[in-house]
Amino acid sequence: MTREAGMLYIYETPAETAKELADLIVEYGASAIESRGRFVVALAGGNTPKAAYALLAQAPYSNAIDWSAVEIFFGDERCVPPDHEQSNYKMAFDAFIGPLDIPAVHVHRMRGEDDPQRAAFDYRGVLLDVLGEEPFFDLVMLGLGPDGHTASLFPGQDPLTEDEQKVRAAYSESQSQWRITLTPSVLNNAEAVCFAVVGAEKAATLAAVREGPYDPTRYPAQIIAPPDGELIWLSDKAAAAKS
Ligand code: 6PG
């Protein structure tokens, strides 16, 4: 099966990669707001996007787009309370959602404090209420774990498990933690999906995911292939060293 691995853009440092990611966010945001009146984005969690999110809270990014026209969703969440240090929502709120005073009505967090199955069911409802039966994103942001996971689609399980649920609970063996995640059919229904990957520890996985044999149960990030959108990879030289 020929698959579109997506364009890989390589930058010298993690800081430069973060700037490029911030640029990409406001570029897609401005375009979406101009053509559709709003910017629907699913945020990545983890550490990599933090620096880019912090840039958004500063000029020129803070006044680059109308942040009140942004609908913020999350690609996944750890099953912890929203004020927990591991919360993806807290990370994004502290970095730019709070500083930019983005209206809470437009910030759709996954309720990590609730029972995982319940939280997944409820988030499906939010997704469909706000975006309709076939949720479509202007931009989906993702990271890549060293084990090949993305969002909370972990190796060892077919990432298409319960894909029709659009949102599902997932248990991370490596983190011994329940998670909530959007499923591939939702993650792939986007104008653009952008991975940001930095660090030498990701180099072998990045190469395997983009260039290796197609085995999405081993490398769940390989399931990401937006049929009607762009697949973009932003990485620093260290993470791209084996690509
Ligand atoms: C999470 C993320 C996860 C993350 C990767 C990379 O909740 O942790 O959604 O998929 O993007 O694990 O994480 P780092 O950016 O911290 O390396």
Side-chain angles (χ1 to χ4, degrees):
M1 141 186 203
T2 55
R3 62 193 165 91
E4 176 55 51
M7 276 297 288
L8 174 62
Y9 298 88
I10 303 170
Y11 303 98
E12 283 295 323
T13 63
E16 198 179 338
T17 309
K19 181 191 173 305
E20 293 296 330
L21 181 56
D23 287 347
L24 184 142
I25 293 166
V26 296
E27 177 193 331
Y28 276 91
S31 171
I33 291 167
E34 184 182 349
S35 51
R36 288 184 285 276
R38 68 178 182 180
F39 174 40
V40 180
V41 60
L43 299 181
N47 295 311
T48 303
K50 269 183 191 171
Y53 293 166
L55 286 174
L56 298 179
Q58 304 161 28
Y61 302 97
S62 53
N63 45 41
I65 64 172
D66 173 5
W67 290 98
S68 68
V70 181
E71 287 291 349
I72 292 179
F73 293 85
F74 291 80
D76 74 326
E77 185 56 279
R78 291 82 179 272
C79 288
V80 295
D83 60 354
H84 191 285
E85 62 174 11
Q86 290 187 1
S87 164
N88 287 334
Y89 164 79
K90 180 182 186 320
M91 181 272 281
F93 186 88
D94 291 349
F96 78 103
I97 295 172
L100 290 174
D101 201 19
I102 295 177
V105 70
H106 296 314
V107 182
H108 310 288
R109 72 175 182 87
M110 295 171 165
R111 290 180 55 85
E113 67 271 36
D114 290 350
D115 165 77
Q117 302 296 344
R118 175 84 226 180
F121 178 83
D122 289 347
Y123 201 73
R124 181 177 188 276
V126 170
L127 208 52
L128 274 55
D129 283 351
V130 180
L131 300 182
E133 289 301 306
E134 293 299 327
F136 180 83
F137 289 89
D138 298 301
L139 177 63
V140 169
M141 300 172 62
L142 292 171
L144 179 68
D147 61 358
H149 82 261
T150 193
S152 284
L153 303 172
F154 295 106
Q157 181 179 45
D158 180 348
L160 292 172
T161 301
E162 297 176 353
D163 189 35
E164 69 287 349
Q165 298 302 319
K166 301 187 188 306
V167 189
R168 70 174 172 84
Y171 187 72
S172 166
E173 294 293 348
S174 61
Q175 313 278 336
S176 304
Q177 184 180 60
W178 277 97
R179 303 281 191 92
I180 303 156
T181 187
L182 298 184
T183 63
S185 59
V186 178
L187 294 169
N188 277 324
N189 198 25
E191 184 80 19
V193 180
C194 179
F195 280 92
V197 186
V198 301
E201 73 278 9
K202 306 278 179 82
T205 306
L206 180 60
V209 166
R210 296 187 70 256
E211 302 161 23
Y214 186 66
D215 181 2
T217 298
R218 169 66 188 85
Y219 293 107
Q222 290 183 326
I223 206 70
I224 301 301
D228 303 316
E230 267 194 282
L231 179 57
I232 301 160
W233 296 81
L234 306 183
S235 83
D236 69 345
K237 276 178 79 172
K242 296 179 177 175
S243 291

